[in-house]
Amino acid sequence: MSRLYLLLIIFFFLLPETPACHAQPLLHRTVSLDVNRKPLSDVLSMISKQGGFLFSYNSNLFRGDSLVSVSANNKTVRQTLDLLFEGKYEYKETGNHVVIQLPSGNDVWYLSGYVLDENTGERIRDASVYETQQLVATLTNDQGYFRLRLKDKHPTAAISIRKAWYSDTSVVLKPGYNQELTVSITPKSFVLDTIVVSPVEKSWLSNLFLSSRQRAQSLNLGKYFADRPYQTSITPGLGSHGKMSPYVINKFSFNLIGGYTAGLQGVEIGGVFNIVKQDMSFLQIAGVFNMTGGRASGVQTAGLFNQALDSVTGVQLAGAFNLTNGDLQGIQASGAVNHASGDVSGMQLSGAINSALQGIRGMQVSGLGNFSGKDVTGMQLTSAANICAGDIKGVQLSGFLNIARKVDGVQIGIINIADSSTKFNIGLLNFIRNGYYKLAISTNESVPLNIALKTGTHRLYNILLAGINPAAGKRVFTYGYGLGSDIPLRGRLSFTPEITAQYCYRGNPDAFAMLYRSGANLNFRVGKYLSFFAGPSFSLYHFSPDAPAEGYNHPTPAYGAIDPTTTGLQYWFGGNVGVVFF
């Protein structure tokens, strides 16, 4: 075993100098040669010794004894090899070896090189280098180095170099062979350009799927866009347009997992997600989410959510929620939440909550609540709460709470709240700041003592009432709900028709009984907070055959024509007399 360790130690020290000794990539190391008609194999040995690595190649690739001449003063290994072989081969680093091989295809060539600062000579990282016709792009690395793979099918190659706060630079090359290029770009000495950053790239969600290099590319190429008929991709940056995908507007886009494109004017399908920097038109379909940095015109449908960082004209369909940072003209339908930061002209349908920070012209329908930051012209319908921070012209219908500033329509809910109302507020409690508030105490032929709270508007008010007959043998308790209207007549007189429905408790929970009354009262106002009323009434009494408890009885008048023990329905005429406060 000790012999094995000794052999390993000797082998380690006999190895050529490893890449760890040179942090710089093999092909970027510099060499200096000045040879005239020397065997090719000897020249390669000189390069490998200066660079501290080994060459690997097929012996049939070229003749090692062929005589060559080359002069390279402080040039990179790649530049020296291109001079030596006249760009006929391509090179690949593998461990401590540089592999010399034939190009992968006759129609492919490589452009590599460095981008420098014109003033300082420093190498510039994260500069965008791209070819506009082939839509091939890359970023320089930490040492300012780049490498582009190009196709030899165009008569020229227009190479552009862009970097934020530097002047744009272009170079036209003749394709067909591998080339190395050093380009100096000049910092701008005038007022700096506004950096164009898509709202998509500010989103925390998109940053989960976009790399830092893609965001750096956007700083350089923010104003550049091209049109293409279609694109396909697996993930952002891995597709038919490569790293240029975020700067291409497509008519058809297919993304196996997800895509990141400049815009859409057609159809886009994503297995997981679609991200568009600018506007989307016609149709986006995604398994999880769609995100658009500009306007969305057409249909967005996703399994989880859709987000448009500008306005939406069309339809958003999502399993969970839809968001638009602008106006909505169309429909949002989701299983949980719809939100629009602007105005809504159309419909929001959700399983939980709809929200519009501006006004609504149309309808909100939700399972829990609807919110509008300004006026609503149309309908809010929900099971729990409707909130309109402005005026509503239409209907608020909820199972519990409605809130609006001014109601020019109808509120229907258990609790209705408004500053003012010109139409109807129907609920158990109505709080209208400039509305109708009365407390009435009255007596009638059936229940001698009644108290009622009346809230709403003069046009239509709600009545919560309770009554009692405490007399021994005739005891009964009542409570119920009603509606009424206060119609002004001449002077201090007004006409107040009312209808009520009351449950009558007769000591036995099984002894069900309901008393329905309608009255036509004449109200005389004595002062600002006091008035009296009186008028005829008609009563309809419906009850079960179960007998009242001892000491309790039916709330029928003494002159009742029908014995209440022999039938489940009785009616009679009577009257009301009472006093009203407030």
Side-chain angles (χ1 to χ4, degrees):
M1 183 65 69
S2 60
R3 182 177 298 174
L4 177 59
Y5 284 140
L6 180 60
L7 289 174
L8 289 173
I9 293 171
I10 294 172
F11 177 76
F12 176 79
F13 281 106
L14 290 178
L15 282 174
E17 195 171 10
T18 65
C21 301
H22 296 270
Q24 195 176 34
L26 305 182
L27 290 168
H28 296 177
R29 298 175 186 175
T30 57
V31 297
S32 295
L33 296 175
D34 189 7
V35 298
N36 184 31
R37 295 183 61 78
K38 286 193 176 183
L40 178 58
S41 57
D42 293 347
V43 176
L44 291 177
S45 296
M46 295 169 63
I47 296 173
S48 67
K49 180 179 287 188
Q50 289 190 40
F53 59 86
L54 297 176
F55 280 111
S56 176
Y57 54 87
N58 190 321
S59 59
N60 296 324
L61 192 62
F62 49 78
R63 292 180 56 184
D65 59 353
S66 59
L67 300 179
V68 297
S69 299
V70 63
S71 178
N73 183 23
N74 200 31
K75 290 187 177 294
T76 65
V77 172
R78 184 185 296 278
Q79 288 175 317
T80 306
L81 290 175
D82 282 341
L83 288 172
L84 191 62
F85 292 113
E86 297 180 344
K88 295 178 181 179
Y89 304 106
E90 66 181 24
Y91 325 108
K92 184 173 71 172
E93 297 180 13
T94 304
N96 197 43
H97 289 71
V98 171
V99 180
I100 304 174
Q101 60 189 21
L102 286 172
S104 55
N106 293 331
D107 62 341
V108 174
W109 60 286
Y110 291 89
L111 174 67
S112 58
Y114 295 88
V115 177
L116 309 180
D117 187 298
E118 175 74 24
N119 295 341
T120 64
E122 295 181 353
R123 295 176 177 180
I124 299 175
R125 62 172 295 174
D126 292 336
S128 297
V129 183
Y130 62 98
E131 206 284 327
T132 56
Q133 298 180 79
Q134 301 183 38
L135 292 178
V136 179
T138 188
L139 284 174
T140 55
N141 64 12
D142 293 343
Q143 299 175 3
Y145 176 78
F146 68 89
R147 190 167 188 247
L148 283 178
R149 183 177 185 270
L150 299 162
K151 294 182 179 180
D152 184 17
K153 64 178 182 178
H154 298 283
T156 59
I159 307 300
S160 297
I161 299 93
R162 284 191 180 185
K163 172 69 176 176
W165 301 302
Y166 282 81
S167 297
D168 297 345
T169 303
S170 297
V171 179
V172 178
L173 301 174
K174 184 177 180 180
Y177 61 95
N178 295 341
Q179 303 175 50
E180 187 157 309
L181 182 69
T182 298
V183 182
S184 296
I185 59 178
T186 307
K188 293 183 177 180
S189 57
F190 47 85
V191 177
L192 298 179
D193 288 343
T194 301
I195 298 301
V196 178
V197 180
S198 169
V200 163
E201 289 156 353
K202 299 178 183 179
S203 168
W204 66 269
L205 180 64
S206 66
N207 288 336
L208 294 177
F209 298 92
L210 304 179
S211 67
S212 59
R213 289 179 65 83
Q214 287 171 322
R215 293 193 293 274
Q217 192 87 281
S218 290
L219 289 176
N220 302 329
L221 304 180
K223 296 181 180 179
Y224 172 79
F225 293 104
D227 293 319
R228 290 295 185 271
Y230 68 91
Q231 78 90 31
T232 59
S233 69
I234 299 175
T235 60
L238 186 59
S240 58
H241 295 337
K243 295 181 176 62
M244 290 295 285
S245 181
Y247 313 101
V248 181
I249 299 171
N250 305 284
K251 296 189 182 303
F252 176 79
S253 175
F254 177 78
N255 308 303
L256 186 62
I257 296 175
Y260 179 40
T261 61
L264 176 67
Q265 294 178 349
V267 178
E268 183 169 49
I269 301 172
V272 178
F273 65 90
N274 299 307
I275 300 176
V276 174
K277 289 179 63 174
Q278 300 296 326
D279 298 339
M280 184 284 294
S281 297
F282 302 121
L283 178 62
Q284 263 189 330
I285 302 173
V288 178
F289 74 89
N290 293 306
M291 180 179 288
T292 301
R295 296 183 300 274
S297 303
V299 178
Q300 284 185 315
T301 177
L304 186 60
F305 76 93
N306 297 301
Q307 183 173 15
L309 300 180
D310 203 323
S311 61
V312 172
T313 301
V315 179
Q316 286 185 316
L317 303 173
F321 56 94
N322 295 303
L323 304 175
T324 174
N325 286 13
D327 297 336
L328 168 66
Q329 293 183 344
I331 298 174
Q332 284 182 324
S334 72
V337 176
N338 294 312
H339 174 78
S341 296
D343 292 314
V344 173
S345 297
M347 182 180 295
Q348 289 182 311
L349 304 171
S350 76
I353 296 173
N354 293 312
S355 172
L357 298 187
Q358 301 297 317
I360 295 173
R361 296 183 66 87
M363 180 181 294
Q364 286 182 317
V365 180
S366 71
L368 290 178
N370 297 308
F371 173 80
S372 172
K374 291 187 177 180
D375 297 345
V376 173
T377 301
M379 174 181 286
Q380 288 183 312
L381 173 63
T382 187
S383 65
N386 292 311
I387 299 175
C388 173
D391 302 339
I392 181 162
K393 295 181 180 180
V395 178
Q396 278 188 320
L397 175 60
S398 77
F400 181 66
L401 174 67
N402 294 307
I403 299 175
R405 188 174 62 186
K406 178 181 178 181
V407 177
D408 185 10
V410 181
Q411 281 185 320
I412 303 175
I414 295 176
I415 300 174
N416 297 309
I417 300 174
D419 285 347
S420 62
S421 177
T422 60
K423 295 293 177 63
F424 305 107
N425 308 83
I426 302 173
L428 293 181
L429 294 173
N430 295 290
F431 300 100
I432 313 300
R433 192 177 61 140
N434 299 320
Y436 185 89
Y437 296 95
K438 303 293 181 182
L439 181 66
I441 299 175
S442 65
T443 185
N444 58 55
E445 77 288 346
S446 301
V447 181
L449 180 60
N450 298 277
I451 185 169
L453 176 64
K454 304 177 182 182
T455 62
T457 65
H458 287 270
R459 185 186 295 269
L460 181 69
Y461 57 81
N462 301 270
I463 306 170
L464 291 179
L465 72 160
I468 182 173
N469 187 345
K474 296 183 178 180
R475 189 177 304 142
V476 66
F477 297 95
T478 68
Y479 60 89
Y481 173 80
L483 295 172
S485 179
D486 190 345
I487 303 172
L489 297 176
R490 178 176 296 181
R492 300 187 178 189
L493 294 177
S494 63
F495 176 58
T496 56
E498 296 178 346
I499 56 172
T500 59
Q502 303 168 72
Y503 175 77
C504 302
Y505 178 72
R506 298 174 293 154
N508 180 3
D510 296 329
F512 173 82
M514 290 294 299
L515 177 61
Y516 306 96
R517 292 177 60 88
S518 63
N521 301 312
L522 187 63
N523 190 82
F524 178 75
R525 182 165 46 85
V526 177
K528 184 176 181 180
Y529 300 107
L530 181 67
S531 61
F532 297 94
F533 69 91
S537 66
F538 173 78
S539 299
L540 183 65
Y541 181 56
H542 178 247
F543 55 94
S544 69
D546 301 281
E550 184 177 354
Y552 288 82
N553 208 334
H554 297 277
T556 52
Y559 55 83
I562 302 175
D563 184 353
T565 62
T566 61
T567 181
L569 189 65
Q570 186 171 350
Y571 64 90
W572 62 86
F573 291 95
N576 301 292
V577 176
V579 59
V580 177
F581 301 96
F582 310 120

